[in-house]
Amino acid sequence: MRKYIILTTLLLAALPLCAQENNSGKKKRTVDPDQEFFHLPDSVTDEYLDNANLPKLAKINDYWIIGVHGGVSLENGYFNPPRPVELHLRMPVYGISITRFATMMNTFPNLGMELGFQHNYEGYKFKEYEGEAKDGTKEIRKYDIDGFHEAYMEVPEVFLLTHGHVDLGQFVKINLKAGMFAGYRMNITRIRDSKFPPRDESEFQTEYAPYANSFRDTDIRWTYGFQGGAGLGLMLDPVEFHLGVQFKWGWSPYYSPDVVNRYVYRYAYPLDGAITFGVYYQLTKRRGHTRSSLRRMARQYVTEERNPEIDQ
């Protein structure tokens, strides 16, 4: 056993000697310490590099659009205590907006910011429901506010929205929006349903009828809240067509919550929407963010880097 150990030790000790003998027959390469690993031609001086006009690589989805939109308003509203309301249409809705798309934190190329103005509506419309009369029979009823069963207001408003988009191809994208809106309620119209007359006609004509087209002191004129939306965009550069749906959740009630009874908190808030169609113009060149567009951009980048335009 001791012989095997001594023999193995001698073989391992001989390996470096064999390697040194094999390398001794090869020609040694010498490296000039003054020679750089990457050496530019002598014609490329510091002054030449300072004045070179290198190509600028375009950013992805970094562009501006401006446009107009129009459509119809879908008004609803919600009440506490709950009251049955129905969704109804008002028109026209129209507006203008400008959107800046950019790559957020150099990571998210599908975001932008949209600032705009639009003429919109807010309001409510009560619907009929079946109630029980004093004698136990069923009867059709309809809620009212001051004897009016429906009301709507024109609302010029501004909005600021985060605008996200997902490009499905060269020509189609999905738009997603979320942000805030603020406006001022104007030109109110209150409507009475003749099928449901007030209990006291003389009181109605004296106290409430004069406010059919004007605001009461207890009405709240300023409105604000959350606004979101979704839709499709057709991109035929430099023009885009957007079909979208808006959603508005108002945080300012129609009237003071204690107007009916100072001890009972009763409120009514807007809960509206809109369907719009818009036409937009690209103020700057758009570069999309699909796989095919990225491949085209990569080829363009390689071409620009290999063939830079240099001013002599």
Side-chain angles (χ1 to χ4, degrees), residues 63-129:
Y63 70 106
W64 293 78
I65 62 172
I66 187 172
V68 296
H69 63 271
V72 296
S73 173
L74 305 173
E75 301 171 39
N76 192 60
Y78 67 101
F79 293 79
N80 179 38
R83 294 186 175 185
V85 294
E86 59 180 315
L87 193 68
H88 60 289
L89 302 179
R90 293 291 172 191
M91 59 182 303
V93 172
Y94 55 88
I96 183 173
S97 67
I98 184 169
T99 305
R100 169 74 161 90
F101 294 104
T103 300
M104 183 178 179
M105 297 182 293
N106 293 324
T107 304
F108 307 102
N110 303 97
L111 296 177
M113 191 65 68
E114 181 178 5
L115 174 65
F117 164 86
Q118 69 179 3
H119 171 274
N120 206 343
Y121 294 89
E122 288 182 356
Y124 54 87
K125 182 179 181 180
F126 297 117
K127 66 178 179 180
E128 299 177 0
Y129 69 98

Side-chain angles (χ1 to χ4, degrees), residues 151-163:
Y152 65 91
M153 294 152 280
E154 295 184 59
V155 183
E157 58 190 24
V158 295
F159 54 85
L160 181 63
L161 308 174
T162 299
H163 189 133

Side-chain angles (χ1 to χ4, degrees), residues 228-247:
L232 289 175
L234 178 63
M235 301 172 290
L236 304 176
D237 302 341
V239 179
E240 298 185 13
F241 303 95
H242 294 184
L243 178 64
V245 177
Q246 292 182 13
F247 170 77

Side-chain angles (χ1 to χ4, degrees), residues 28-70:
K28 296 182 178 180
R29 292 182 295 178
T30 60
V31 179
D32 187 357
D34 296 332
Q35 183 178 4
E36 297 179 358
F37 176 75
F38 178 76
H39 182 67
L40 293 172
D42 295 337
S43 59
V44 181
T45 62
D46 293 340
E47 182 180 359
Y48 174 85
L49 292 175
D50 292 339
N51 297 325
N53 184 18
L54 299 179
K56 295 182 179 179
L57 303 182
K59 296 181 180 180
I60 299 173
N61 279 329
D62 191 343
Y63 70 106
W64 293 78
I65 62 172
I66 187 172
V68 296
H69 63 271

Side-chain angles (χ1 to χ4, degrees), residues 215-236:
F215 289 92
R216 301 175 66 93
D217 294 338
T218 53
D219 291 331
I220 298 176
R221 305 291 295 275
W222 290 101
T223 179
Y224 59 91
F226 170 82
Q227 179 173 328
L232 289 175
L234 178 63
M235 301 172 290
L236 304 176

